Amino acid sequence: MWRTLALASAFFPGLFALGIRLLGWAAPGRSLKDRILLSGRLVSTVQATMATVSGITVVLNCKDVVHDRHWLAVEYIWVLVPYMTYDIYVMYLCHWHKSRDQRKHSLASVRSFLLQERLMVTHHLFILVVLTPVTQLKMQDTLLHKVNGILILVTFFLCRILLFPFMYAAYARQVGIPIYMVPFRIPLHCNIANASLIAPQLYWFRLICRKAARLYGGSPADKSR
């Protein structure tokens, strides 16, 4: 754990700094702001690739992808902790360089960043403060774990499921037709695309509901599965 944490704490900022330096050498005409933005995107891409490869590895090596635990899934949490911390700082740095009033760093610039990027900062802090302890400790029976489960269930339903009827309702309101007529008014490929996107969301929502049912109403043996 500690070795992974230390390596990741050095890796992401180091890669970011290296990216800025290499871009300065390869493209000296680019401004510091451009180099910071590009280097930040490079590190984000590397982390996303690492997370994807880790996820694929876990899935391929687990017979039960819902209940089994893999060492890489547990260990990768200690990669995410320094990455999320680093990313909050880089988001602030990018915000400061993109702002029109580039004075010295101050509480005003931090406040402006927190207001503009409040959702992303909340997302990162939630992972650091809530999800990290939940994934590392056996907290199935704690109030925190149950509240976290409810939040996941509600946010998944609102953001992944209700998004689709909301889009249809918005279109119906715009053109002045009943919502049930929307599928017959929009191109067929739009309906097919939406159906292919919502189908896996419904499948995952079903799994989340089954897990929630075991967590809140099942036996202790079911809760540990």
Side-chain angles (χ1 to χ4, degrees):
M1 178 188 81
W2 294 112
R3 183 171 62 178
T4 302
L5 190 65
L7 289 174
S9 298
F11 175 73
F12 293 115
L15 182 60
F16 177 70
L18 179 63
I20 294 176
R21 183 175 293 272
L22 290 178
L23 284 170
W25 172 76
R30 287 191 174 274
S31 65
L32 177 60
K33 180 184 78 172
D34 290 338
R35 284 182 280 146
I36 287 175
L37 293 175
L38 288 172
S39 185
R41 291 169 184 167
L42 169 66
V43 177
S44 296
T45 301
V46 170
Q47 194 283 136
T49 303
M50 292 169 58
T52 302
V53 172
S54 299
I56 293 173
T57 303
V58 171
V59 170
L60 292 178
N61 287 276
C62 289
K63 294 180 180 179
D64 188 335
V65 297
V66 177
H67 304 123
D68 284 354
R69 290 176 67 86
H70 190 276
W71 69 267
L72 185 57
V74 177
E75 197 71 17
Y76 198 78
I77 294 298
W78 301 110
V79 176
L80 278 182
V81 168
Y83 172 76
M84 291 297 173
T85 306
Y86 144 86
D87 200 44
I88 291 175
Y89 170 72
V90 171
M91 284 194 300
Y92 165 74
L93 203 59
C94 292
H95 169 81
W96 186 80
H97 277 277
K98 288 189 291 186
S99 64
R100 296 178 181 177
D101 187 17
Q102 292 186 15
R103 299 177 182 177
K104 292 183 178 180
H105 298 283
S106 63
L107 288 177
S109 62
V110 173
R111 189 181 304 113
S112 173
F113 162 69
L114 293 176
L115 287 174
Q116 184 170 334
E117 302 290 344
R118 55 186 178 274
L119 290 179
M120 286 299 294
V121 172
T122 301
H123 165 266
H124 283 36
L125 290 177
F126 185 79
I127 290 177
L128 290 171
V129 176
V130 178
L131 293 187
T132 298
V134 166
T135 55
Q136 293 302 306
L137 305 173
K138 295 187 179 298
M139 305 174 65
Q140 287 90 343
D141 295 323
T142 63
L143 178 62
L144 177 61
H145 185 77
K146 293 180 179 180
V147 171
N148 179 61
I150 293 173
L151 288 175
I152 291 175
L153 188 66
V154 172
T155 54
F156 192 97
F157 180 73
L158 292 176
C159 300
R160 298 280 187 100
I161 307 297
L162 284 189
L163 172 65
F164 293 90
F166 173 80
M167 291 191 301
Y168 280 67
Y171 180 82
R173 206 165 42 242
Q174 177 180 331
V175 300
I177 61 173
I179 188 173
Y180 65 83
M181 290 296 298
V182 173
F184 305 101
R185 290 287 298 272
I186 63 177
L188 177 62
H189 68 270
C190 293
N191 288 316
I192 295 174
N194 286 330
S196 64
L197 288 171
I198 197 174
Q201 309 304 327
L202 292 172
Y203 170 75
W204 282 108
F205 184 68
R206 174 174 168 268
L207 293 181
I208 294 173
C209 289
R210 289 176 56 188
K211 178 65 175 178
R214 285 196 299 268
L215 179 63
Y216 300 113
S219 64
D222 290 335
K223 292 180 182 181
S224 64
R225 291 172 60 186

